[in-house]
Amino acid sequence: MDFNQSRFPGFARLSHAALALLAVVLIAGCGSIKGEKDPTAGWSAERLYQDARTEISAGNWKDARTRLEAVEARYPFGGYAQQSLIDQAYVNWKDDEPEQALAAIDRFQQQYPNHAGTDYMLYLKGLITFTPPSASFTKFTRQDPSERDPKGLRESYESFNELIKRYPDSRYTADAKKRVTWLVGTIAQNEVHVAQYYYERGAYVAAINRAQTVITDFQGVPIAEKALYIIYLSYDKLGLTELRDDAKRVLDQNFPNSKFYEQGLDEPGGSYWNPINWF
């Protein structure tokens, strides 16, 4: 059906008014957009990157991130794009944005698997998962790091371990080795926490399995003494006297006069495993 504007003159006037208003809005919008022009438009990759480095030196993480992302977006090929990803990971880590930092590292590893900076990115990835933001509060809460979810600890261990194996001569390897020593002990201690949890709730088979993991997978860690004691107690509760005696014999051979016979499972005082005190 055809629409005859002559039959509705008021509608025609309304249409003209609406079009005029739309034109005004568009002109105002263009003026607004023009007023918000990116001050870095036309900058070279070098200028963007050097400006980002200046912001990093000043600790202006937000502005540094904006410049680095601009380098990656506008100049995706070449050395500045590669370096911008490395610096994005660092800036996001310093700005308490671990997920964004890890995302930058993942992009870097996928795009530049053989880059000379790979050892640093592995080291940084280990640091990010080694000390999540909540870890900075452990000195106030007195929470043992081994009592937290071990997922981040294991991811940190994997990153540092890969660094040690692939880049034994890297400047970051010596520190990574110290952190791996701490991580092994802490992950083992987490297993013992779980074993004790099961034991205290009467799940003796589960307690034995978790404690046995410490003996087989984390040889030489101090917490193995407690793991063996939990195994000994659990077999005793199950009435498996022969296995109980075997566990006791191993415990006595490796830890003569074990303190756990006298004090039980509860540890007096705090733990020395807090990474804040180590690094």
Side-chain angles (χ1 to χ4, degrees):
M1 181 178 69
D2 294 334
F3 187 84
N4 190 344
Q5 290 192 12
S6 64
R7 296 176 58 189
F8 301 90
F11 184 87
R13 289 194 297 272
L14 180 62
S15 298
H16 291 312
L19 288 172
L21 178 61
L22 179 59
V24 170
V25 171
L26 288 174
I27 292 171
C30 291
S32 176
I33 293 173
K34 184 176 180 181
E36 296 176 1
K37 183 179 179 181
D38 184 352
T40 68
W43 284 18
S44 66
E46 180 180 7
R47 184 177 178 186
L48 279 169
Y49 181 73
Q50 293 303 328
D51 194 67
R53 293 299 305 176
T54 300
E55 299 295 350
I56 291 173
S57 298
N60 298 327
W61 310 124
K62 181 179 178 181
D63 292 336
R65 185 187 300 110
T66 300
R67 299 292 188 267
L68 293 169
E69 289 174 349
V71 173
E72 185 185 8
R74 300 179 198 175
Y75 305 97
F77 308 106
Y80 286 111
Q82 297 172 23
Q83 190 61 44
S84 74
L85 266 178
I86 294 176
D87 289 339
Q88 279 183 62
Y90 173 79
V91 165
N92 283 310
W93 174 54
K94 295 295 289 184
D95 200 28
D96 292 332
E97 296 288 350
E99 296 302 325
Q100 292 187 43
L102 291 173
I105 292 173
D106 288 341
R107 292 202 307 278
F108 179 88
Q109 291 177 322
Q110 291 171 9
Q111 296 176 32
Y112 315 110
N114 300 315
H115 192 278
T118 299
D119 60 335
Y120 172 71
M121 293 301 260
L122 286 170
Y123 179 68
L124 184 57
K125 187 174 184 179
L127 288 180
I128 292 167
T129 49
F130 181 80
T131 52
S134 60
S136 61
F137 295 103
T138 57
K139 59 184 176 182
F140 303 111
T141 63
R142 308 300 297 172
Q143 182 190 24
D144 189 323
S146 65
E147 295 173 352
R148 298 199 306 267
D149 183 354
K151 181 176 181 291
L153 299 176
R154 292 182 181 277
E155 291 175 350
S156 182
Y157 170 81
E158 290 171 2
S159 297
F160 286 136
N161 211 35
E162 183 178 354
L163 166 62
I164 293 167
K165 290 180 178 178
R166 290 179 59 185
Y167 304 96
D169 299 323
S170 169
R171 58 183 293 191
Y172 307 107
T173 298
D175 186 66
K177 286 180 178 179
K178 291 192 295 183
R179 293 176 187 273
V180 162
T181 299
W182 178 86
L183 285 164
V184 167
T186 303
I187 294 169
Q189 194 168 7
N190 179 270
E191 293 294 321
V192 172
H193 278 306
V194 176
Q196 182 174 346
Y197 174 88
Y198 285 138
Y199 173 79
E200 291 174 346
R201 284 153 183 78
Y204 302 121
V205 173
I208 292 169
N209 289 337
R210 294 305 286 261
Q212 190 65 44
T213 298
V214 175
I215 308 304
T216 57
D217 296 355
F218 303 96
Q219 297 180 8
V221 294
I223 200 65
E225 178 183 1
K226 190 173 185 178
L228 284 166
Y229 183 67
I230 291 174
I231 294 172
Y232 160 74
L233 291 177
S234 299
Y235 279 134
D236 185 62
K237 291 291 186 180
L238 291 169
L240 301 174
T241 55
E242 186 175 344
L243 291 173
R244 177 201 64 194
D245 293 343
D246 286 343
K248 186 178 187 304
R249 183 165 50 253
V250 174
L251 176 59
D252 292 341
Q253 287 175 351
N254 288 275
F255 303 96
N257 303 314
S258 173
K259 63 182 181 181
F260 291 104
Y261 288 129
E262 182 177 346
Q263 74 178 38
L265 290 175
D266 292 332
E267 292 277 5
S271 170
Y272 68 90
W273 289 102
N274 193 326
I276 301 299
N277 299 328
W278 274 48
F279 302 97

